[in-house]
Structure formats: structure tokens, C-alpha cells
Amino acid sequence: MELSSILAIASLVMSAATTIWIGGFRMSALFHEVKNLGVRIDKLEDKMERRFERLESRMDNFQIEMHKIDIRVNTLENRKP
């Protein structure tokens, strides 16, 4: 085998190894990014859940107040001669 063939094969092997090595780092970075994205989504879900709970509480309070007003109106209507 000639020296040029050996160098070409070595260059090809080194190129493939470098590509795999860099690809591994990129894949690792991608996994970390996906993990961080999952954490961000979990935090956002918790925040949205707290907001919906507050809105539900406000709506419940509003319904209670509306019920009280309805009772008062009915009482006043029934008292009229």
C-alpha cells in the first residue's frame, strides 16, 4: 500500500471519528435543551394552574354574590302587595 493511500484512509477515519465526536456533543446539547424546555413548561403549567385557581375562586365569589342579590330581589318582590 502506498503512503498516500494510508494517509487517505487515516484521514477518512479521523474525519468520521471527528464527525461522530462532534455529533455526540451536539446530541448531548440537544438533550440538555429538551430537558430545560421540559422544566420551563412545567413551571409555566404551574403558573397557569395557579391563575386558573384564582379565577375559579373569583368566579365562585361572584356567583355567591349574585345568589345573595337574587335572594334579596326575590324577597323584595314577594313583599310587594
Side-chain angles (χ1 to χ4, degrees):
M1 229 198 244
E2 293 183 18
L3 182 60
S4 63
S5 296
I6 294 172
L7 289 175
I9 292 171
S11 175
L12 180 66
V13 169
M14 295 267 304
S15 177
T18 303
T19 302
I20 291 170
W21 184 268
I22 291 171
F25 280 121
R26 287 187 179 173
M27 186 64 77
S28 176
L30 181 63
F31 288 150
H32 286 293
E33 194 65 33
V34 168
K35 182 180 174 185
N36 289 338
L37 183 61
V39 169
R40 284 188 229 150
I41 288 173
D42 289 341
K43 287 180 181 178
L44 181 62
E45 285 176 349
D46 291 342
K47 189 175 183 180
M48 293 302 293
E49 187 174 328
R50 284 183 300 216
R51 285 185 179 181
F52 280 121
E53 286 173 358
R54 282 187 288 184
L55 284 173
E56 287 175 348
S57 174
R58 288 179 184 171
M59 296 234 355
D60 289 342
N61 291 338
F62 181 73
Q63 286 178 345
I64 290 168
E65 289 300 317
M66 291 301 292
H67 182 69
K68 287 178 184 178
I69 291 171
D70 188 43
I71 290 173
R72 290 177 189 150
V73 168
N74 284 337
T75 304
L76 287 172
E77 285 178 348
N78 290 336
R79 284 186 183 175
K80 284 187 175 179

